[in-house]
């Protein structure tokens, strides 16, 4: 589902990481850990085609991102990826349910039942009519997770998805992510500082300036 070959990324003269190689299969849940500032979030952005790499290759579901133009990468993200952003990136003028439904609408597959099922799964049943400004940080985090999963993506990229959650809610959300991997055959790359979250993964990898170590 995901193959990274010798990725390197710099911001101007400052190197972020280099030599990053990774294979992630369908049905696999992998946690990525590392010191703050080592480039974990940047790596996720590169995998999603949101930021260019300086060297190396990103292949998602058999498609080399370098072979796609900007519109092609957007289509790939829409169909194949579910991205849980640290900053949530919810649309403030849409309700909770409308935010979660957006990936399905973009694919021409509206499904109100699926939206409600995901909201219930992350513990937000009954809050679909609210707007983001009416929610707490932890609730916003769960809306973002439901939105990332609603269209059953093949590849899930999750950037600190439990960072704003209490332990019980974090465990519930991790259960939803694990179910998507195990039952739907998705692949998940989870960036986290949480030992409890990393413990749910099949593999734990560490990102450093010189690449990824098991």
């Amino acid at each position: 589902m995901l193959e990274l070959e010798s990725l390197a990324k710099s911001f101007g003269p400052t190197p972020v990481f280099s030599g990053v190689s990774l294979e992630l299969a369908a049905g696999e849940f992998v946690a990525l850990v590392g010191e703050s500032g080592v480039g974990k979030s940047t790596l996720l952005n590169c995998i999603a085609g949101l930021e260019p790499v300086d060297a190396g290759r990103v292949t998602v579901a058999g498609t080399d991102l370098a072979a796609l133009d900007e519109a092609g990468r957007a289509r790939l993200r829409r169909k194949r990826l579910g991205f849980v952003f640290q900053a949530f990136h919810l649309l403030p003028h849409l309700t909770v349910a409308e935010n979660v439904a957006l990936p399905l609408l973009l694919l021409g597959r509206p499904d109100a039942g699926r939206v409600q099922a995901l909201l219930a799964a992350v513990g937000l049943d009954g809050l679909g009519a609210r707007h983001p400004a009416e929610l707490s940080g932890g609730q916003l985090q769960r809306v973002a997770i439901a939105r990332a999963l609603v269209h059953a993506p093949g590849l899930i990229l999750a950037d600190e998805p439990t960072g704003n959650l209490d332990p019980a809610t974090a465990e519930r959300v991790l259960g939803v992510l694990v179910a998507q991997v195990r039952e739907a055959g998705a692949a998940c790359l989870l960036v986290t500082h949480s030992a409890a979250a990393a413990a749910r993964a099949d593999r734990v990898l560490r990102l450093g300036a010189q690449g990824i170590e098991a």
Side-chain angles (χ1 to χ4, degrees):
M1 186 57 68
L2 173 65
E3 185 176 2
L4 309 181
E5 298 179 47
S6 302
L7 295 192
K9 176 69 177 178
S10 298
F11 290 121
T14 305
V16 181
F17 51 74
S18 63
V20 173
S21 296
L22 169 68
E23 291 186 2
L24 186 58
E28 191 172 20
F29 189 2
V30 172
L32 183 65
V33 301
E35 300 297 326
S36 295
V38 79
K40 300 184 297 298
S41 296
T42 299
L43 178 61
L44 292 189
N45 287 337
C46 291
I47 292 170
L50 296 171
E51 291 189 23
V53 295
D54 299 321
R57 184 168 68 172
V58 178
T59 304
V60 176
T63 299
D64 183 352
L65 292 192
L68 302 175
D69 59 15
E70 185 175 349
R73 292 192 295 271
R75 285 192 294 270
L76 181 70
R77 285 192 293 270
R78 190 179 304 162
K79 293 180 180 180
R80 300 287 190 178
L81 266 63
F83 202 137
V84 183
F85 295 93
Q86 270 197 63
F88 315 139
H89 293 313
L90 302 178
L91 298 180
H93 61 284
L94 298 182
T95 66
V96 165
E98 289 168 342
N99 267 284
V100 174
L102 191 56
L104 293 172
L105 294 177
L106 292 173
L107 291 170
R109 293 168 19 204
D111 187 341
R114 172 72 175 167
V115 171
Q116 293 306 316
L118 258 297
L119 287 174
V122 298
L124 296 177
D125 197 18
L127 298 184
R130 294 191 184 183
H131 285 80
E134 301 175 85
L135 302 183
S136 68
Q139 289 170 328
L140 293 171
Q141 182 79 78
R142 285 180 279 163
V143 176
I145 292 166
R147 181 186 58 188
L149 300 181
V150 72
H151 59 303
L155 176 62
I156 303 163
L157 304 175
D159 195 356
E160 294 285 1
T162 62
N164 291 283
L165 305 179
D166 63 82
T169 305
E171 184 64 23
R172 178 174 187 165
V173 164
L174 286 169
V176 175
L177 286 171
V178 170
Q180 190 75 20
V181 171
R182 303 290 184 242
E183 298 169 13
C188 180
L189 183 60
L190 169 77
V191 163
T192 186
H193 284 103
S194 166
R200 299 292 298 269
D202 301 312
R203 289 188 285 154
V204 179
L205 306 176
R206 177 171 291 275
L207 178 63
Q210 302 305 311
I212 286 179
E213 300 177 355

